Amino acid sequence: MQGLQLIARAQAFASSVALRSGDAERTFGELLDRSATLARTTLAGADDLHESRIAFLAPAGFDYITVQWGIWRAGGVVVPLSLSATEPELEYTLADSGADCVVTTLSLADRVRTLCEQRSLRLLVVEDMNDTAGVSLPVIDPQRRAMILYTSGTTSTPKGVVTSHVNIESQIKSLVEAWKWHASDSIPLFLPLHHIHGIINVMSCALWSGATIEAFPRFDIETILDRTAAKAYSVFMAVPTIYVKLLQAVSDLNQDAREDVISGFAAMRLMVSGSAALPASVHCEWTALTGQKLLERYGMTEIGMALSNPYTGERRPGSVGVPLPGVNVRLMSDSGEPVDVEDEPGEIEVRGPAVFVEYWNRAEVTADAFADGWFRTGDIAVRENGYLRIMGRQSVDIIKSGGFKLSALEIESILLLHPAIRECAVVGVPDDTWGETVAAAAVLQEGAELSNGDLKAWCDMRLSHYKIPRHLSIVDGLPRNAMGKVTKPDVRKLFC
Ligand code: MCA
Ligand code: AMP
């Protein structure tokens, strides 16, 4: 069907349950029918969307997949919006992607209605779809652009990472093969669906395999523990913060409940951690509690998953393992030479069909991100007894908090809009639960005052909640080197 394997494969599982949400169940067949209706409604008589960007805001579940598949089937490029984005963040994404239509659900329509009016964008509500059965859908060449995901980095505004259908299919196939996905799998989906961890690793791998997804609007730890105790899942994927929270929550249970939950985790065939470094201590505590050896892997929005501990074989705490099927990985020294020996650090570079097409409308940034066709990740790793271990990032301006990648520069640019702040520097500080939390050192305007509470209230309107500084230090001046450049390691010392 239409050259899109993910959707064509669903026909083979038409009567199987694709999605469970509370008591409701939806089959692959229903997904196929409803996404075709959405495609025809979006097309509104046109023969092909020809890679128009269609933004969408939908909770995890039937509507999300309907919209994603529907836009793809109509020839559009999906731009999933974050459910926790503030209005300025939504506006930025709509403007940068050049979206000309927003698809959403009745319950979320008010979040985007005004923006659509201001920007003269078409607003399509899923519940208002017209059934125009019989209208044929375009055949989609898998080389075409499919998705734009916004990622924060070393620039002050997020960049749109463009992937094609081929990229997405390669990312899925690699994981399905490596982690042995199959139709009898069942997985909870509680991660946000504007990042690939939730979109590709959980949702799309499950759908590709004919497995069942149990979708949750957010990470609700009590429900997840109840369902785990009921042995509802065979596969589980989460960020390290979630494993830290689960360890705490399980230890707070009474003995009977604890035994049921532990036996639910122990019964799963695979538990994966990624998106940020999993502390070896958490890895070992999890094994001691459940008997499960977490499989840690490494990836990035631009490349999908690149490295993984093995499905069968040693899963080493603190390590991200070896290249996944179809992914070429090399380490490069500062002087641009491949690092082939053990114990010598180098930047991770990645090549292969899963690697993204471009940063949207940023040709120069895209060109700078590659060296001889290899994508330069900015992550530093070292090879130890055959496995790679991540040592950190080249840029101090990238913060990972709760699994979200945050740009210190983006947060600084927002703080500088505050009338009380003259200068500021944002850093990530180590945190046992979140990996890192955001901290801001600020120099105030003459006579101005600012508290953590004031800063949070200011940021609430402008930044997603996970980007808001949790620590504030008012300083007379920022630490600088002889060249006058702010020294972030010294800023970090203010908080450690
Ligand atoms: C929330 N809080 C925080 C943070 N976030 N405090 C410090 N730092 C933070 N980052 C506070 C809130 O203000 C609130 O405080 C309380 O914690 C609960 O907030 P809530 O958001 O409800 O927390 P949660 O539901 O427990 O969320 C934790 C979470 C979430 C589920 C771990 O952060 C999450 O979904 N993270 C996953 C992100 C992800 O999927 N990343 C993948 C990117 P108060 O109670 O005072 O109000 S893709 C990627 O990284 C690559 C490609 C890869 O390799 O996967
Ligand atoms: P993203 O913006 O979501 O694409 O974040 C990708 C980044 O997450 C990578 O460049 C790494 O810095 C980090 N990351 C992902 N997985 C791991 C891991 N297992 N260990 C350490 N860092 C990781």
Side-chain angles (χ1 to χ4, degrees), residues 151 275-277 296-301 320 379 393 400 405:
T151 185
S275 298
E296 184 171 4
R297 56 63 182 176
Y298 159 91
M300 196 170 178
T301 307
V320 289
D379 289 306
R393 288 196 60 88
K400 265 269 157 158
K405 183 156 94 174

Side-chain angles (χ1 to χ4, degrees), residues 36-107:
T37 305
L38 190 120
R40 288 191 282 262
T41 310
T42 317
L43 282 166
D47 60 348
D48 190 324
L49 291 177
H50 295 295
E51 296 190 5
S52 296
R53 274 76 58 216
I54 312 288
F56 73 104
L57 187 69
F62 192 44
D63 286 334
Y64 185 102
I65 304 169
T66 298
V67 178
Q68 187 201 54
W69 285 17
I71 295 168
W72 282 343
R73 297 179 75 177
V77 173
V78 295
V79 185
L81 299 170
S82 159
L83 291 169
S84 38
T86 59
E87 190 160 322
E89 289 171 333
L90 290 174
E91 188 170 14
Y92 173 80
T93 307
L94 294 176
D96 189 83
S97 64
D100 47 27
C101 172
V102 179
V103 186
T104 190
T105 59
L106 204 51
S107 61

Side-chain angles (χ1 to χ4, degrees), residues 84-342:
S84 38
T86 59
E87 190 160 322
E89 289 171 333
L90 290 174
E91 188 170 14
Y92 173 80
T93 307
L94 294 176
D96 189 83
S97 64
D100 47 27
C101 172
V102 179
V103 186
T104 190
T105 59
L106 204 51
S107 61
L108 291 170
D110 285 343
R111 296 269 311 274
V112 284
R113 197 182 306 282
T114 310
L115 277 175
C116 287
E117 281 163 12
Q118 285 166 351
R119 303 188 59 79
S120 305
L121 306 180
R122 178 178 173 207
L123 176 63
L124 174 63
V125 173
V126 178
E127 287 85 345
D128 295 342
M129 288 192 292
N130 330 311
D131 199 353
T132 46
V135 177
S136 61
L137 295 174
V139 175
I140 309 298
D141 177 348
Q143 300 289 347
R144 278 168 61 161
R145 292 177 183 80
M147 179 158 73
I148 303 183
L149 295 181
Y150 276 81
T151 185
S152 297
T154 45
T155 47
S156 64
T157 50
K159 305 187 285 277
V161 175
V162 180
T163 42
S164 64
H165 291 285
V166 168
N167 296 150
I168 290 172
E169 286 168 12
S170 306
Q171 294 177 7
I172 299 170
K173 280 189 208 161
S174 174
L175 295 185
V176 168
E177 177 186 337
W179 298 344
K180 306 205 184 316
W181 273 96
H182 49 75
S184 55
D185 277 326
S186 158
I187 187 166
L189 172 56
F190 42 70
L191 293 172
L193 289 181
H194 61 292
H195 286 303
I196 59 168
H197 195 163
I199 300 172
I200 302 289
N201 299 22
V202 179
M203 191 180 84
S204 305
C205 284
L207 294 171
W208 181 277
S209 310
T212 302
I213 297 164
E214 186 161 74
F216 297 93
R218 55 182 298 279
F219 176 65
D220 168 4
I221 203 158
E222 280 167 26
T223 312
I224 297 294
L225 291 180
D226 282 352
R227 298 289 295 145
T228 297
K231 300 211 167 51
Y233 313 123
S234 62
V235 181
F236 195 94
M237 294 189 192
V239 298
T241 298
I242 288 181
Y243 288 107
V244 174
K245 287 180 175 241
L246 286 171
L247 280 168
Q248 182 60 49
V250 175
S251 78
D252 290 346
L253 294 171
N254 67 42
Q255 197 180 337
D256 285 351
R258 186 160 58 231
E259 278 171 15
D260 289 346
V261 166
I262 289 172
S263 98
F265 281 123
M268 292 182 196
R269 73 166 184 88
L270 175 65
M271 298 193 74
V272 180
S273 174
S275 298
L278 176 71
S281 57
V282 175
H283 190 132
C284 296
E285 272 182 70
W286 191 261
T287 306
L289 183 75
T290 64
Q292 281 277 356
K293 282 200 187 311
L294 295 175
L295 181 155
E296 184 171 4
R297 56 63 182 176
Y298 159 91
M300 196 170 178
T301 307
E302 288 87 336
I303 56 173
M305 297 302 112
L307 297 158
S308 170
N309 276 273
Y311 185 75
T312 351
E314 184 197 4
R315 296 186 190 164
R316 197 181 298 164
S319 155
V320 289
V322 297
L324 279 155
V327 185
N328 297 307
V329 175
R330 68 179 187 184
L331 293 186
M332 292 298 273
S333 70
D334 280 348
S335 55
E337 298 300 319
V339 176
D340 292 323
V341 292
E342 295 240 320

Side-chain angles (χ1 to χ4, degrees), residues 316-394:
R316 197 181 298 164
S319 155
V320 289
V322 297
L324 279 155
V327 185
N328 297 307
V329 175
R330 68 179 187 184
L331 293 186
M332 292 298 273
S333 70
D334 280 348
S335 55
E337 298 300 319
V339 176
D340 292 323
V341 292
E342 295 240 320
D343 302 320
E344 212 175 279
E347 180 180 359
I348 301 176
E349 295 191 353
V350 178
R351 200 173 61 174
V355 175
F356 76 127
V357 178
E358 62 188 346
Y359 292 116
W360 182 247
N361 275 340
R362 286 174 177 82
E364 246 177 69
V365 184
T366 307
D368 283 353
F370 287 86
D372 306 327
W374 292 77
F375 175 71
R376 297 156 52 206
T377 62
D379 289 306
I380 308 297
V382 62
R383 206 173 274 106
E384 290 173 344
N385 297 322
Y387 284 14
L388 292 183
R389 180 169 64 80
I390 309 285
M391 301 178 73
R393 288 196 60 88
Q394 274 174 337

